[in-house]
Amino acid sequence: MFAVAEFRWSWIALVGSVIGDQLARVALSILVFDRTGSAGLAALTYALTLLPDIVSGPLLGGLADRLPRRRLMVTCDAARAVLVGLMAIPGVPLWILCVLLVAVQMFAAPFQSARSAFLASMLTGDIYRAAIGLSSVTDQAARLAGFVLGATIVAALGTSQALALNALSFAASAVLLRFGLQERPAALGDDPAARPSWWSSLVAGARLVWSNRRLRYLLALCCVPGFYNTVLGLATPYAASIGGAELAVGILFAANPAGQIAGILLTSRIAPARRMAMMGPLAIGTCAVLIGGVFQPGLWVTVGLWCLSGMCASFLPLAQATFVQEIPDAQRGQVIGLARTALVVSQGMGILVAGAAADLWKPAMVMTGAGVVGVIYAAGAARGYRNAGSERANK
């Protein structure tokens, strides 16, 4: 991977922008809470960094097919740098901050669609799958670093300065991508008159996934996090149920992403064909270990279970890479945008349902229920994908 100069530059840009993103999330939550004293408004502010993906994925993901992808990535990063820079101005009213925040997040879907499609056109085969795995490790590690360092940096510099650092990270990413990547023509060509309409592209992308059994079940596998990521909504009530303090909450939050980092690094040493065969069992394993909650274990056993679930989640980058490689280049941006929305919705709904259920039942029992339902779902998706592969091999 690192022998390819373009990948090196895109990876460095990814590190800076993800850390900056997490820093901004922490800074905004602290800023809103300090001004209002409302935990609900602070949580809503954090949610606003996720919700726009639901709309922007289908609506804007297709721009990655209509425009040159490098140009689109640079434009999205430059726009986010300007918008976050405006958010960093001291004394900006909260409602304007929220509007700017939604606008910033609207640029995330076309950027990610363009980046995934660009990598798929630049790298091939197992090198591309390895690149997606490394990007996932980088994303998880940068998120952990952003959360760990975020409060410290905000305390030392202030929220406005922390947001200014985030704006700087976007600007640096735009510069790195502009001068580190080669421009390529738009996947749908340079003639606007020859391109299908926006609505036609959206419908064609959805039809492609629905009519192709392999793509349909690969997307189903990509949505398995909707079950095992429910632990993110259970960390606080679970720690409270076992008498844990704030430190226990932090440890529980870190368990799953830490496991994902370890799992991806371990599976990267396995032969490509063997990794493909392990994809279904690992997807099932992410949820199966959560059934251990039925024994209502203490903190460290729970941390171990969540970490093991994260290790099994090493199947996800492989499923995502395989999904992208199965899509024709001219439709990659649109289909990736649709898939991104499906993933965000499934995870958001899972965490929301788990959090609500924890008000009625013990968090350990909610974890168990998510594990049971998740195993059934993942087993069905894995079987469907395996059967679709067998059918194609027999043709």
Side-chain angles (χ1 to χ4, degrees):
M1 293 176 291
F2 285 105
V4 180
E6 287 183 296
F7 177 76
R8 292 198 302 269
W9 290 115
S10 68
W11 180 77
I12 294 171
L14 174 69
V15 173
S17 62
V18 173
I19 291 177
D21 259 354
Q22 298 307 107
L23 175 60
R25 285 189 171 104
V26 174
L28 281 170
S29 295
I30 293 174
L31 175 64
V32 171
F33 185 75
D34 285 346
R35 287 195 191 178
T36 66
S38 170
L41 286 176
L44 176 61
T45 302
Y46 187 89
L48 286 175
T49 66
L50 303 174
L51 293 177
D53 280 341
I54 298 174
V55 176
S56 61
L59 296 184
L60 302 180
L63 290 175
D65 301 324
R66 297 174 174 274
L67 302 174
R69 287 161 180 163
R70 185 194 69 172
R71 187 188 308 169
L72 179 59
M73 288 188 285
V74 171
T75 301
C76 287
D77 270 347
R80 290 189 286 185
V82 172
L83 291 169
V84 176
L86 293 174
M87 293 167 64
I89 298 174
V92 174
L94 285 180
W95 71 269
I96 294 180
L97 277 177
C98 291
V99 171
L100 290 171
L101 180 58
V102 170
V104 168
Q105 290 307 122
M106 290 294 286
F107 284 98
F111 178 89
Q112 292 297 339
S113 294
R115 184 179 186 277
S116 296
F118 189 94
L119 286 179
S121 64
M122 179 175 61
L123 305 172
T124 59
D126 195 56
I127 296 178
Y128 172 72
R129 297 189 186 101
I132 294 300
L134 178 62
S135 296
S136 296
V137 168
T138 302
D139 183 74
Q140 293 294 336
R143 286 175 187 273
L144 283 174
F147 279 133
V148 170
L149 298 175
T152 303
I153 293 175
V154 171
L157 301 178
T159 53
S160 293
Q161 288 78 5
L163 288 169
L165 286 177
N166 183 214
L168 183 62
S169 74
F170 281 129
S173 175
V175 172
L176 289 171
L177 295 173
R178 170 62 180 82
F179 294 102
L181 305 185
Q182 296 179 8
E183 186 69 287
R184 291 168 171 79
L188 289 176
D190 295 326
D191 183 8
R195 299 171 188 164
S197 67
W198 169 84
W199 178 252
S200 297
S201 295
L202 178 60
V203 172
R207 185 183 295 121
L208 173 65
V209 176
W210 185 253
S211 62
N212 186 313
R213 289 193 66 196
R214 279 175 62 85
L215 285 177
R216 193 163 70 240
Y217 284 113
L218 274 170
L219 180 57
L221 283 171
C222 290
C223 291
V224 172
F227 297 94
Y228 67 76
N229 269 345
T230 54
V231 297
L232 296 177
L234 297 174
T236 301
Y238 201 106
S241 71
I242 59 177
E246 289 79 2
L247 179 60
V249 178
I251 294 172
L252 287 169
F253 266 121
N256 188 274
Q260 289 189 45
I261 294 171
I264 293 171
L265 292 175
L266 287 172
T267 55
S268 68
R269 305 182 64 86
I270 300 173
R274 179 61 178 161
R275 285 206 306 273
M276 292 295 290
M278 292 171 60
M279 193 160 59
L282 285 174
I284 297 170
T286 58
C287 301
V289 297
L290 299 182
I291 299 176
V294 71
F295 301 107
Q296 301 189 44
L299 174 63
W300 292 110
V301 173
T302 302
V303 168
L305 291 174
W306 292 13
C307 186
L308 184 57
S309 175
M311 291 180 70
C312 291
S314 58
F315 85 91
L316 186 59
L318 183 58
Q320 291 172 329
T322 305
F323 179 81
V324 172
Q325 288 179 317
E326 294 271 337
I327 305 167
D329 185 58
Q331 292 181 277
R332 275 181 179 149
Q334 183 66 71
V335 175
I336 290 171
L338 291 168
R340 179 181 171 87
T341 297
L343 178 59
V344 170
V345 170
S346 64
Q347 291 188 84
M349 289 298 297
I351 293 172
L352 180 64
V353 171
D359 287 333
L360 303 175
W361 298 286
K362 292 182 178 180
M365 294 297 100
V366 177
M367 181 176 83
T368 302
V372 171
V373 178
V375 164
I376 296 171
Y377 173 87
R383 181 182 179 186
Y385 175 68
R386 185 179 65 249
N387 291 342
S390 300
E391 289 177 5
R392 189 167 75 170
N394 293 330
K395 287 183 179 179

